[in-house]
Amino acid sequence: MRYDLNLLPVFVALMEERNVTRAAERLGITQPALSNALNRLRDTLRDPLFIRERYGMKPTEKAEELAPVIAAALAQIDDVIRGQQDFDPAKAERLFTLAPNSYVEFVLMPAVVARLRQRAPGIRLRLTPFGTDLAETGVVSGTTAMVLGRLIDPPDNLIVQHLMDEGLACVVRAGHPEIHDSLTREQYERLKHVNVLPPGRLRAGLFQALERQGVKREVAVSVTHFLAVPEMIAVTDYCATLPRLICRHLAHDKRLKTVSAPVDLGIFPVEMAWHVRYRHDPAHRWLRGLISEVAKEVATEA
């Protein structure tokens, strides 16, 4: 029996997206073209493969059985083809979609962009939000090139690389009536605090660290981004507990001052992950190396 290999990416896209519209957009084809390809797949494999439901497409038992086999076969083909391609960063023209959490976007991405401008001016970046659900970033399906931040229980089809470790410190306003060059545990518990909601699991990490040390914290206001913190702290007697590299950036603001946390709150990892299909992609591999290089330099400067 002869098989049309062009139909296999259609199967993978439908399997991962569970939605005809999104699968068509991902493949860069029209919905009618995708529906036609699906009908040919059904004829070839003699199975409905996907059943339309109210909120998308549900794969059949046979589709579930075929999915890992087809995905592995396509990944191997990608590895062979991409591994043989030459890559010249100075001449390359390519768009990468990255999903950094708000910490990485603030601390690492400006240096990454500056480095790209010097070495690979044709490489463009599109940053998409990092949430608590990795699937929503697109990295699990491979539509997003990589995700950067703190990763909890990543799926098996992602390769994870450790970039750096980060700790925590505190920020108060420069003219704070109680806090001078240090911050005691009693002062910390007496103060009101500004809490940063994103990036998801990091929030849980801070709460857990405080709980382990038996330290109480009264949160007066929660904000959605690190950039909101200096404005909140500058006009109040509140305190914010933030990653050390964020505190280092905020130290340039004369309205603020940074002090060590009153107890050891530990460290958290900063990681990078990508779909296995990009393992041997020369351009992707080069970009991973550049990001890793920047992370090591930034961590050393802290």
Side-chain angles (χ1 to χ4, degrees):
M1 180 182 291
R2 297 179 62 186
Y3 300 97
D4 185 349
L5 295 180
N6 292 318
L7 299 178
L8 299 186
V10 173
F11 176 87
V12 172
L14 280 168
M15 193 71 195
E16 293 178 346
E17 299 293 345
R18 309 292 172 96
N19 180 280
V20 172
T21 301
R22 291 199 300 269
E25 290 175 350
R26 170 174 162 178
L27 294 169
I29 61 177
T30 64
Q31 288 189 43
L34 186 138
S35 296
N36 179 59
L38 176 57
N39 287 333
R40 290 161 59 198
L41 265 172
R42 286 167 167 163
D43 289 341
T44 300
L45 299 175
R46 299 178 183 179
D47 188 85
L49 298 177
F50 300 94
I51 308 300
R52 189 179 299 277
E53 293 187 333
R54 183 177 180 182
Y55 297 108
M57 306 285 283
K58 180 181 179 180
T60 64
E61 185 176 342
K62 185 167 186 176
E64 294 278 10
E65 181 183 344
L66 289 170
V69 178
I70 292 175
L74 290 177
Q76 288 180 338
I77 294 172
D78 284 346
D79 282 352
V80 172
I81 294 175
R82 286 174 171 154
Q84 294 176 345
Q85 293 174 339
D86 293 327
F87 177 72
D88 182 351
K91 298 178 181 178
E93 298 282 341
R94 185 158 168 181
L95 171 66
F96 285 97
T97 299
L98 309 182
N101 66 15
S102 58
Y103 168 84
V104 172
E105 189 170 5
F106 190 97
V107 170
L108 293 183
M109 293 315 298
V112 169
V113 171
R115 196 71 50 91
L116 283 175
R117 184 171 176 240
Q118 295 171 348
R119 300 184 186 176
I123 297 293
R124 295 171 294 125
L125 300 182
R126 174 181 175 270
L127 304 186
T128 191
F130 177 109
T132 55
D133 185 353
L134 283 178
E136 293 178 359
T137 68
V139 71
V140 176
S141 64
T143 55
T144 293
M146 64 185 77
V147 63
L148 302 106
R150 186 176 184 183
L151 307 177
I152 307 294
D153 299 326
D156 292 340
N157 68 341
L158 294 188
I159 299 172
V160 179
Q161 177 181 334
H162 180 269
L163 291 175
M164 57 189 279
D165 289 315
E166 175 63 298
L168 296 163
C170 297
V171 178
V172 296
R173 71 180 179 92
H176 198 287
E178 291 186 58
I179 312 305
H180 302 291
D181 296 327
S182 61
L183 177 64
T184 68
R185 175 174 178 153
E186 291 73 19
Q187 289 171 325
Y188 187 90
E189 292 186 329
R190 190 165 59 247
L191 292 172
K192 292 186 177 181
H193 293 258
V194 177
N195 180 52
V196 182
L197 289 175
R201 301 299 181 92
L202 174 59
R203 177 176 76 253
L206 174 56
F207 277 101
Q208 290 167 1
L210 291 170
E211 185 177 349
R212 281 196 301 269
Q213 293 287 358
V215 178
K216 298 178 182 178
R217 183 179 64 148
E218 181 185 348
V219 175
V221 57
S222 292
V223 298
T224 59
H225 200 283
F226 292 115
L227 291 176
V229 172
E231 303 309 315
M232 294 285 183
I233 296 297
V235 296
T236 67
D237 290 333
Y238 295 169
C239 173
T241 306
L242 303 171
R244 278 198 293 255
L245 288 175
I246 297 286
C247 291
R248 191 184 71 181
H249 280 273
L250 298 184
H252 298 296
D253 189 330
K254 294 182 179 179
R255 302 172 301 167
L256 311 174
K257 64 180 174 182
T258 63
V259 293
S260 298
V263 297
D264 182 6
L265 295 174
I267 60 174
F268 62 89
V270 180
E271 299 160 313
M272 170 171 62
W274 60 92
H275 195 285
V276 292
R277 74 176 59 167
Y278 295 118
R279 179 170 39 208
H280 301 303
D281 181 333
H284 196 283
R285 187 167 51 203
W286 180 86
L287 180 59
R288 298 196 305 263
L290 183 140
I291 292 173
S292 180
E293 174 187 300
V294 168
K296 286 184 175 66
E297 291 177 6
V298 169
T300 302
E301 294 170 3

